Amino acid sequence: MMPIRIHHFNTVTSTNDVALDMARVGAPEGSIVLARSQSAGRGRQGRAWLDEPGACVLMSAIVRPALPQERVYEISFVASAAVAGILESRFGLEPALKWPNDVLVHGRKIGGILIEAQSTGAVVIGIGLNVNQRHFPPQIKDTATSVAIETGSTYDTVAVGECAAQVLMEQYRDYLKRGFEEILSHWRKYMWGVGREASVETDGRNIRGTILGVDSSGALLVREPLGKTHAVYSADAVRLLSM
Ligand code: BTN
């Protein structure tokens, strides 16, 4: 088992900031930051990540995978597969992973992943998981959900965070041992939208077609009606065209 060391905080700007600072001064792989709340939580693409103090898991883990920059994204699949696994095995939910790494339950976002790499070679895996929220701010109230809303029960968020840290590091250890293909095959079991018609905004253009899955590098495969299949490596938005 990979040793982990959990550092608990009350309020921080962002657990990713704290972990990046710790990594800069040499914190080892397996160092975990857990906080009750964030004053400047951030999501992907410059978005804010909103939390309710004490009601969610706000976690950042430091890993040092010795990967070239262009493969660091693989770690986000490790993290989202780990979160889906926890939601399924610990809470009995049916999670879905929306490419590249939004975690959904019943079509609503329950968790998100933000990976940040450092020139030191460290990679910080930031995970936000909505646990006990019953209400959300207006900006996300129509699109967010929580474990409490989905299960009808509330949970000890510190215990959930500690469990998430363990499961994440086990999944990461499997990735180091068995490789990305193994993680992808786990990830694919949860993939959202396969076989559905979607609109994908990528590099300033819009592709409309059927979501086929992900290829062996984790790129999203979308087939246009006339048969051309695109491998999408990054997208601003992926939307289903019908419910
Ligand atoms: C996203 O879905 O856009 C990613 C959200 C990631 C949020 C988590 S909460 C813990 C860590 N600290 C942050 O500031 N962000 C990540």
PDB file of all heavy atoms in Angstrom, residues 13-17 38 40-45 47-49 57-60 101-102 109 111-114 116 125-129, ligand 1:
ATOM      1  N   THR A  13      -7.252  29.093   0.557  1.00  0.00           N
ATOM      2  CA  THR A  13      -7.692  29.710  -0.712  1.00  0.00           C
ATOM      3  C   THR A  13      -8.185  28.585  -1.615  1.00  0.00           C
ATOM      4  O   THR A  13      -9.323  28.572  -2.071  1.00  0.00           O
ATOM      5  CB  THR A  13      -6.532  30.461  -1.400  1.00  0.00           C
ATOM      6  OG1 THR A  13      -5.405  29.586  -1.486  1.00  0.00           O
ATOM      7  CG2 THR A  13      -6.179  31.727  -0.648  1.00  0.00           C
ATOM      8  N   SER A  14      -7.284  27.645  -1.856  1.00  0.00           N
ATOM      9  CA  SER A  14      -7.603  26.473  -2.669  1.00  0.00           C
ATOM     10  C   SER A  14      -6.686  25.353  -2.171  1.00  0.00           C
ATOM     11  O   SER A  14      -5.496  25.599  -1.935  1.00  0.00           O
ATOM     12  CB  SER A  14      -7.305  26.792  -4.142  1.00  0.00           C
ATOM     13  OG  SER A  14      -6.994  25.625  -4.852  1.00  0.00           O
ATOM     14  N   THR A  15      -7.234  24.172  -2.008  1.00  0.00           N
ATOM     15  CA  THR A  15      -6.362  23.061  -1.563  1.00  0.00           C
ATOM     16  C   THR A  15      -5.261  22.806  -2.599  1.00  0.00           C
ATOM     17  O   THR A  15      -4.171  22.365  -2.261  1.00  0.00           O
ATOM     18  CB  THR A  15      -7.175  21.766  -1.333  1.00  0.00           C
ATOM     19  OG1 THR A  15      -7.915  21.472  -2.515  1.00  0.00           O
ATOM     20  CG2 THR A  15      -8.103  21.892  -0.137  1.00  0.00           C
ATOM     21  N   ASN A  16      -5.546  23.120  -3.881  1.00  0.00           N
ATOM     22  CA  ASN A  16      -4.495  22.963  -4.892  1.00  0.00           C
ATOM     23  C   ASN A  16      -3.343  23.934  -4.629  1.00  0.00           C
ATOM     24  O   ASN A  16      -2.181  23.576  -4.795  1.00  0.00           O
ATOM     25  CB  ASN A  16      -5.057  23.187  -6.309  1.00  0.00           C
ATOM     26  CG  ASN A  16      -5.595  21.908  -6.928  1.00  0.00           C
ATOM     27  OD1 ASN A  16      -6.020  21.009  -6.214  1.00  0.00           O
ATOM     28  ND2 ASN A  16      -5.586  21.823  -8.238  1.00  0.00           N
ATOM     29  N   ASP A  17      -3.652  25.167  -4.190  1.00  0.00           N
ATOM     30  CA  ASP A  17      -2.575  26.126  -3.867  1.00  0.00           C
ATOM     31  C   ASP A  17      -1.702  25.565  -2.754  1.00  0.00           C
ATOM     32  O   ASP A  17      -0.474  25.620  -2.820  1.00  0.00           O
ATOM     33  CB  ASP A  17      -3.157  27.456  -3.348  1.00  0.00           C
ATOM     34  CG  ASP A  17      -3.810  28.275  -4.438  1.00  0.00           C
ATOM     35  OD1 ASP A  17      -3.546  27.990  -5.625  1.00  0.00           O
ATOM     36  OD2 ASP A  17      -4.592  29.187  -4.094  1.00  0.00           O
ATOM     37  N   GLN A  38     -12.987  26.580   0.977  1.00  0.00           N
ATOM     38  CA  GLN A  38     -12.021  27.305   0.149  1.00  0.00           C
ATOM     39  C   GLN A  38     -12.563  28.705  -0.114  1.00  0.00           C
ATOM     40  O   GLN A  38     -13.751  28.866  -0.416  1.00  0.00           O
ATOM     41  CB  GLN A  38     -11.822  26.592  -1.193  1.00  0.00           C
ATOM     42  CG  GLN A  38     -11.280  25.178  -1.062  1.00  0.00           C
ATOM     43  CD  GLN A  38     -11.015  24.506  -2.407  1.00  0.00           C
ATOM     44  OE1 GLN A  38      -9.941  23.986  -2.621  1.00  0.00           O
ATOM     45  NE2 GLN A  38     -11.986  24.508  -3.295  1.00  0.00           N
ATOM     46  N   ALA A  40     -11.133  30.580  -2.516  1.00  0.00           N
ATOM     47  CA  ALA A  40     -10.923  30.812  -3.950  1.00  0.00           C
ATOM     48  C   ALA A  40     -10.770  29.462  -4.661  1.00  0.00           C
ATOM     49  O   ALA A  40      -9.794  29.243  -5.391  1.00  0.00           O
ATOM     50  CB  ALA A  40      -9.694  31.690  -4.168  1.00  0.00           C
ATOM     51  N   GLY A  41     -11.746  28.588  -4.434  1.00  0.00           N
ATOM     52  CA  GLY A  41     -11.700  27.274  -5.079  1.00  0.00           C
ATOM     53  C   GLY A  41     -11.815  27.453  -6.587  1.00  0.00           C
ATOM     54  O   GLY A  41     -12.584  28.295  -7.053  1.00  0.00           O
ATOM     55  N   ARG A  42     -11.046  26.692  -7.331  1.00  0.00           N
ATOM     56  CA  ARG A  42     -11.115  26.864  -8.784  1.00  0.00           C
ATOM     57  C   ARG A  42     -11.414  25.552  -9.497  1.00  0.00           C
ATOM     58  O   ARG A  42     -11.064  24.476  -9.025  1.00  0.00           O
ATOM     59  CB  ARG A  42      -9.845  27.511  -9.328  1.00  0.00           C
ATOM     60  CG  ARG A  42      -8.561  26.804  -8.958  1.00  0.00           C
ATOM     61  CD  ARG A  42      -7.362  27.554  -9.543  1.00  0.00           C
ATOM     62  NE  ARG A  42      -6.140  26.856  -9.228  1.00  0.00           N
ATOM     63  CZ  ARG A  42      -5.405  27.088  -8.144  1.00  0.00           C
ATOM     64  NH1 ARG A  42      -5.774  28.011  -7.274  1.00  0.00           N
ATOM     65  NH2 ARG A  42      -4.302  26.395  -7.940  1.00  0.00           N
ATOM     66  N   GLY A  43     -12.065  25.721 -10.639  1.00  0.00           N
ATOM     67  CA  GLY A  43     -12.377  24.572 -11.471  1.00  0.00           C
ATOM     68  C   GLY A  43     -11.612  24.659 -12.774  1.00  0.00           C
ATOM     69  O   GLY A  43     -10.717  25.492 -12.929  1.00  0.00           O
ATOM     70  N   ARG A  44     -11.972  23.825 -13.722  1.00  0.00           N
ATOM     71  CA  ARG A  44     -11.306  23.853 -15.016  1.00  0.00           C
ATOM     72  C   ARG A  44     -11.739  25.086 -15.789  1.00  0.00           C
ATOM     73  O   ARG A  44     -12.760  25.684 -15.514  1.00  0.00           O
ATOM     74  CB  ARG A  44     -11.652  22.576 -15.802  1.00  0.00           C
ATOM     75  CG  ARG A  44     -11.002  21.342 -15.174  1.00  0.00           C
ATOM     76  CD  ARG A  44     -11.447  20.049 -15.830  1.00  0.00           C
ATOM     77  NE  ARG A  44     -11.294  20.108 -17.265  1.00  0.00           N
ATOM     78  CZ  ARG A  44     -12.309  20.120 -18.133  1.00  0.00           C
ATOM     79  NH1 ARG A  44     -13.548  20.046 -17.698  1.00  0.00           N
ATOM     80  NH2 ARG A  44     -12.094  20.181 -19.417  1.00  0.00           N
ATOM     81  N   GLN A  45     -10.920  25.444 -16.763  1.00  0.00           N
ATOM     82  CA  GLN A  45     -11.208  26.553 -17.681  1.00  0.00           C
ATOM     83  C   GLN A  45     -11.529  27.858 -16.958  1.00  0.00           C
ATOM     84  O   GLN A  45     -12.428  28.600 -17.338  1.00  0.00           O
ATOM     85  CB  GLN A  45     -12.358  26.167 -18.617  1.00  0.00           C
ATOM     86  CG  GLN A  45     -11.948  24.976 -19.473  1.00  0.00           C
ATOM     87  CD  GLN A  45     -13.107  24.352 -20.203  1.00  0.00           C
ATOM     88  OE1 GLN A  45     -14.215  24.248 -19.660  1.00  0.00           O
ATOM     89  NE2 GLN A  45     -12.861  23.902 -21.405  1.00  0.00           N
ATOM     90  N   ARG A  47     -12.974  28.517 -14.262  1.00  0.00           N
ATOM     91  CA  ARG A  47     -14.230  28.667 -13.515  1.00  0.00           C
ATOM     92  C   ARG A  47     -13.977  28.578 -12.013  1.00  0.00           C
ATOM     93  O   ARG A  47     -12.989  27.999 -11.572  1.00  0.00           O
ATOM     94  CB  ARG A  47     -15.230  27.589 -13.932  1.00  0.00           C
ATOM     95  CG  ARG A  47     -15.800  27.816 -15.321  1.00  0.00           C
ATOM     96  CD  ARG A  47     -16.960  26.877 -15.561  1.00  0.00           C
ATOM     97  NE  ARG A  47     -16.477  25.532 -15.802  1.00  0.00           N
ATOM     98  CZ  ARG A  47     -16.375  24.975 -17.009  1.00  0.00           C
ATOM     99  NH1 ARG A  47     -16.740  25.642 -18.076  1.00  0.00           N
ATOM    100  NH2 ARG A  47     -15.930  23.757 -17.161  1.00  0.00           N
ATOM    101  N   ALA A  48     -14.911  29.136 -11.235  1.00  0.00           N
ATOM    102  CA  ALA A  48     -14.808  29.024  -9.768  1.00  0.00           C
ATOM    103  C   ALA A  48     -15.400  27.685  -9.342  1.00  0.00           C
ATOM    104  O   ALA A  48     -16.257  27.133 -10.034  1.00  0.00           O
ATOM    105  CB  ALA A  48     -15.578  30.162  -9.125  1.00  0.00           C
ATOM    106  N   TRP A  49     -14.927  27.158  -8.192  1.00  0.00           N
ATOM    107  CA  TRP A  49     -15.548  25.959  -7.622  1.00  0.00           C
ATOM    108  C   TRP A  49     -16.161  26.395  -6.299  1.00  0.00           C
ATOM    109  O   TRP A  49     -15.460  26.823  -5.380  1.00  0.00           O
ATOM    110  CB  TRP A  49     -14.528  24.839  -7.416  1.00  0.00           C
ATOM    111  CG  TRP A  49     -15.166  23.600  -6.844  1.00  0.00           C
ATOM    112  CD1 TRP A  49     -15.168  23.231  -5.525  1.00  0.00           C
ATOM    113  CD2 TRP A  49     -15.886  22.595  -7.553  1.00  0.00           C
ATOM    114  NE1 TRP A  49     -15.857  22.047  -5.383  1.00  0.00           N
ATOM    115  CE2 TRP A  49     -16.313  21.632  -6.608  1.00  0.00           C
ATOM    116  CE3 TRP A  49     -16.222  22.410  -8.892  1.00  0.00           C
ATOM    117  CZ2 TRP A  49     -17.047  20.501  -6.976  1.00  0.00           C
ATOM    118  CZ3 TRP A  49     -16.958  21.290  -9.249  1.00  0.00           C
ATOM    119  CH2 TRP A  49     -17.355  20.349  -8.294  1.00  0.00           C
ATOM    120  N   VAL A  57     -16.197  17.365   0.134  1.00  0.00           N
ATOM    121  CA  VAL A  57     -14.785  16.965   0.165  1.00  0.00           C
ATOM    122  C   VAL A  57     -14.027  17.921  -0.751  1.00  0.00           C
ATOM    123  O   VAL A  57     -14.383  18.088  -1.925  1.00  0.00           O
ATOM    124  CB  VAL A  57     -14.611  15.513  -0.324  1.00  0.00           C
ATOM    125  CG1 VAL A  57     -13.125  15.205  -0.537  1.00  0.00           C
ATOM    126  CG2 VAL A  57     -15.206  14.532   0.687  1.00  0.00           C
ATOM    127  N   LEU A  58     -13.023  18.569  -0.186  1.00  0.00           N
ATOM    128  CA  LEU A  58     -12.135  19.451  -0.942  1.00  0.00           C
ATOM    129  C   LEU A  58     -10.743  18.891  -0.719  1.00  0.00           C
ATOM    130  O   LEU A  58     -10.210  18.980   0.392  1.00  0.00           O
ATOM    131  CB  LEU A  58     -12.229  20.886  -0.411  1.00  0.00           C
ATOM    132  CG  LEU A  58     -13.640  21.481  -0.411  1.00  0.00           C
ATOM    133  CD1 LEU A  58     -13.696  22.747   0.448  1.00  0.00           C
ATOM    134  CD2 LEU A  58     -14.088  21.791  -1.827  1.00  0.00           C
ATOM    135  N   MET A  59     -10.200  18.291  -1.737  1.00  0.00           N
ATOM    136  CA  MET A  59      -8.970  17.525  -1.528  1.00  0.00           C
ATOM    137  C   MET A  59      -7.965  17.764  -2.647  1.00  0.00           C
ATOM    138  O   MET A  59      -8.344  17.911  -3.806  1.00  0.00           O
ATOM    139  CB  MET A  59      -9.328  16.042  -1.509  1.00  0.00           C
ATOM    140  CG  MET A  59      -8.136  15.143  -1.395  1.00  0.00           C
ATOM    141  SD  MET A  59      -8.664  13.447  -1.145  1.00  0.00           S
ATOM    142  CE  MET A  59      -8.763  12.910  -2.810  1.00  0.00           C
ATOM    143  N   SER A  60      -6.695  17.784  -2.270  1.00  0.00           N
ATOM    144  CA  SER A  60      -5.635  17.791  -3.286  1.00  0.00           C
ATOM    145  C   SER A  60      -4.577  16.788  -2.865  1.00  0.00           C
ATOM    146  O   SER A  60      -4.173  16.745  -1.706  1.00  0.00           O
ATOM    147  CB  SER A  60      -5.017  19.183  -3.418  1.00  0.00           C
ATOM    148  OG  SER A  60      -5.999  20.105  -3.853  1.00  0.00           O
ATOM    149  N   ASN A 101     -13.593  14.790 -17.462  1.00  0.00           N
ATOM    150  CA  ASN A 101     -13.592  14.253 -16.094  1.00  0.00           C
ATOM    151  C   ASN A 101     -14.598  14.894 -15.151  1.00  0.00           C
ATOM    152  O   ASN A 101     -14.317  15.092 -13.974  1.00  0.00           O
ATOM    153  CB  ASN A 101     -12.182  14.270 -15.482  1.00  0.00           C
ATOM    154  CG  ASN A 101     -11.538  15.623 -15.624  1.00  0.00           C
ATOM    155  OD1 ASN A 101     -12.233  16.626 -15.566  1.00  0.00           O
ATOM    156  ND2 ASN A 101     -10.244  15.656 -15.813  1.00  0.00           N
ATOM    157  N   ASP A 102     -15.787  15.188 -15.638  1.00  0.00           N
ATOM    158  CA  ASP A 102     -16.859  15.594 -14.721  1.00  0.00           C
ATOM    159  C   ASP A 102     -17.497  14.328 -14.174  1.00  0.00           C
ATOM    160  O   ASP A 102     -17.703  13.362 -14.914  1.00  0.00           O
ATOM    161  CB  ASP A 102     -17.954  16.359 -15.468  1.00  0.00           C
ATOM    162  CG  ASP A 102     -17.570  17.797 -15.741  1.00  0.00           C
ATOM    163  OD1 ASP A 102     -16.562  18.262 -15.175  1.00  0.00           O
ATOM    164  OD2 ASP A 102     -18.275  18.439 -16.537  1.00  0.00           O
ATOM    165  N   LYS A 109     -23.951  17.320 -11.895  1.00  0.00           N
ATOM    166  CA  LYS A 109     -22.551  17.226 -11.488  1.00  0.00           C
ATOM    167  C   LYS A 109     -22.445  17.072  -9.967  1.00  0.00           C
ATOM    168  O   LYS A 109     -22.982  17.868  -9.207  1.00  0.00           O
ATOM    169  CB  LYS A 109     -21.812  18.486 -11.950  1.00  0.00           C
ATOM    170  CG  LYS A 109     -20.321  18.419 -11.735  1.00  0.00           C
ATOM    171  CD  LYS A 109     -19.602  19.323 -12.703  1.00  0.00           C
ATOM    172  CE  LYS A 109     -18.163  19.512 -12.297  1.00  0.00           C
ATOM    173  NZ  LYS A 109     -17.367  20.218 -13.300  1.00  0.00           N
ATOM    174  N   GLY A 111     -19.189  15.929  -8.742  1.00  0.00           N
ATOM    175  CA  GLY A 111     -17.771  16.110  -8.432  1.00  0.00           C
ATOM    176  C   GLY A 111     -16.993  16.575  -9.646  1.00  0.00           C
ATOM    177  O   GLY A 111     -17.440  16.443 -10.788  1.00  0.00           O
ATOM    178  N   GLY A 112     -15.824  17.156  -9.376  1.00  0.00           N
ATOM    179  CA  GLY A 112     -14.966  17.632 -10.467  1.00  0.00           C
ATOM    180  C   GLY A 112     -13.502  17.435 -10.107  1.00  0.00           C
ATOM    181  O   GLY A 112     -13.154  17.286  -8.926  1.00  0.00           O
ATOM    182  N   ILE A 113     -12.680  17.416 -11.132  1.00  0.00           N
ATOM    183  CA  ILE A 113     -11.254  17.134 -10.979  1.00  0.00           C
ATOM    184  C   ILE A 113     -10.462  18.263 -11.620  1.00  0.00           C
ATOM    185  O   ILE A 113     -10.758  18.653 -12.758  1.00  0.00           O
ATOM    186  CB  ILE A 113     -10.865  15.830 -11.744  1.00  0.00           C
ATOM    187  CG1 ILE A 113     -11.887  14.703 -11.551  1.00  0.00           C
ATOM    188  CG2 ILE A 113      -9.431  15.413 -11.441  1.00  0.00           C
ATOM    189  CD1 ILE A 113     -11.900  14.056 -10.212  1.00  0.00           C
ATOM    190  N   LEU A 114      -9.459  18.755 -10.938  1.00  0.00           N
ATOM    191  CA  LEU A 114      -8.567  19.769 -11.521  1.00  0.00           C
ATOM    192  C   LEU A 114      -7.126  19.332 -11.291  1.00  0.00           C
ATOM    193  O   LEU A 114      -6.660  19.271 -10.157  1.00  0.00           O
ATOM    194  CB  LEU A 114      -8.808  21.136 -10.862  1.00  0.00           C
ATOM    195  CG  LEU A 114      -7.896  22.258 -11.354  1.00  0.00           C
ATOM    196  CD1 LEU A 114      -8.188  22.606 -12.812  1.00  0.00           C
ATOM    197  CD2 LEU A 114      -8.058  23.508 -10.487  1.00  0.00           C
ATOM    198  N   GLU A 116      -3.147  19.951 -11.777  1.00  0.00           N
ATOM    199  CA  GLU A 116      -2.179  21.023 -12.042  1.00  0.00           C
ATOM    200  C   GLU A 116      -0.766  20.454 -11.890  1.00  0.00           C
ATOM    201  O   GLU A 116      -0.446  19.847 -10.869  1.00  0.00           O
ATOM    202  CB  GLU A 116      -2.427  22.212 -11.114  1.00  0.00           C
ATOM    203  CG  GLU A 116      -3.780  22.858 -11.423  1.00  0.00           C
ATOM    204  CD  GLU A 116      -4.087  24.090 -10.587  1.00  0.00           C
ATOM    205  OE1 GLU A 116      -4.119  23.987  -9.347  1.00  0.00           O
ATOM    206  OE2 GLU A 116      -4.309  25.148 -11.177  1.00  0.00           O
ATOM    207  N   ILE A 125      -3.469  16.654  -7.815  1.00  0.00           N
ATOM    208  CA  ILE A 125      -4.795  16.170  -8.220  1.00  0.00           C
ATOM    209  C   ILE A 125      -5.817  16.814  -7.284  1.00  0.00           C
ATOM    210  O   ILE A 125      -5.885  16.469  -6.107  1.00  0.00           O
ATOM    211  CB  ILE A 125      -4.905  14.636  -8.056  1.00  0.00           C
ATOM    212  CG1 ILE A 125      -3.770  13.914  -8.778  1.00  0.00           C
ATOM    213  CG2 ILE A 125      -6.269  14.145  -8.495  1.00  0.00           C
ATOM    214  CD1 ILE A 125      -3.681  12.413  -8.437  1.00  0.00           C
ATOM    215  N   GLY A 126      -6.587  17.754  -7.803  1.00  0.00           N
ATOM    216  CA  GLY A 126      -7.615  18.405  -6.984  1.00  0.00           C
ATOM    217  C   GLY A 126      -8.959  17.753  -7.232  1.00  0.00           C
ATOM    218  O   GLY A 126      -9.362  17.559  -8.385  1.00  0.00           O
ATOM    219  N   ILE A 127      -9.627  17.400  -6.151  1.00  0.00           N
ATOM    220  CA  ILE A 127     -10.945  16.755  -6.268  1.00  0.00           C
ATOM    221  C   ILE A 127     -11.954  17.495  -5.397  1.00  0.00           C
ATOM    222  O   ILE A 127     -11.711  17.729  -4.209  1.00  0.00           O
ATOM    223  CB  ILE A 127     -10.880  15.274  -5.815  1.00  0.00           C
ATOM    224  CG1 ILE A 127      -9.953  14.483  -6.738  1.00  0.00           C
ATOM    225  CG2 ILE A 127     -12.279  14.646  -5.780  1.00  0.00           C
ATOM    226  CD1 ILE A 127      -9.788  13.014  -6.359  1.00  0.00           C
ATOM    227  N   GLY A 128     -13.060  17.875  -5.997  1.00  0.00           N
ATOM    228  CA  GLY A 128     -14.172  18.431  -5.233  1.00  0.00           C
ATOM    229  C   GLY A 128     -15.335  17.460  -5.343  1.00  0.00           C
ATOM    230  O   GLY A 128     -15.669  17.011  -6.445  1.00  0.00           O
ATOM    231  N   LEU A 129     -15.927  17.109  -4.197  1.00  0.00           N
ATOM    232  CA  LEU A 129     -17.056  16.174  -4.209  1.00  0.00           C
ATOM    233  C   LEU A 129     -18.157  16.737  -3.311  1.00  0.00           C
ATOM    234  O   LEU A 129     -17.914  17.026  -2.129  1.00  0.00           O
ATOM    235  CB  LEU A 129     -16.587  14.799  -3.700  1.00  0.00           C
ATOM    236  CG  LEU A 129     -17.643  13.695  -3.642  1.00  0.00           C
ATOM    237  CD1 LEU A 129     -18.152  13.330  -5.039  1.00  0.00           C
ATOM    238  CD2 LEU A 129     -17.063  12.438  -2.960  1.00  0.00           C
TER     239      LEU A 129
HETATM  240  C1  BTN B   1     -14.059  21.242 -12.373  1.00  0.00           C
HETATM  241  O1  BTN B   1     -14.998  20.461 -12.445  1.00  0.00           O
HETATM  242  O2  BTN B   1     -14.022  22.277 -13.056  1.00  0.00           O
HETATM  243  C2  BTN B   1     -12.938  20.922 -11.425  1.00  0.00           C
HETATM  244  C3  BTN B   1     -13.275  21.262 -10.011  1.00  0.00           C
HETATM  245  C4  BTN B   1     -12.172  20.938  -9.034  1.00  0.00           C
HETATM  246  C5  BTN B   1     -12.471  21.435  -7.644  1.00  0.00           C
HETATM  247  C6  BTN B   1     -11.471  20.970  -6.629  1.00  0.00           C
HETATM  248  S1  BTN B   1     -11.967  21.322  -4.984  1.00  0.00           S
HETATM  249  C7  BTN B   1     -10.399  20.857  -4.401  1.00  0.00           C
HETATM  250  C8  BTN B   1      -9.385  21.424  -5.389  1.00  0.00           C
HETATM  251  N1  BTN B   1      -9.078  22.801  -5.061  1.00  0.00           N
HETATM  252  C9  BTN B   1      -9.506  23.647  -6.004  1.00  0.00           C
HETATM  253  O3  BTN B   1      -9.384  24.893  -5.964  1.00  0.00           O
HETATM  254  N2  BTN B   1     -10.084  22.975  -7.000  1.00  0.00           N
HETATM  255  C10 BTN B   1     -10.079  21.546  -6.766  1.00  0.00           C
END
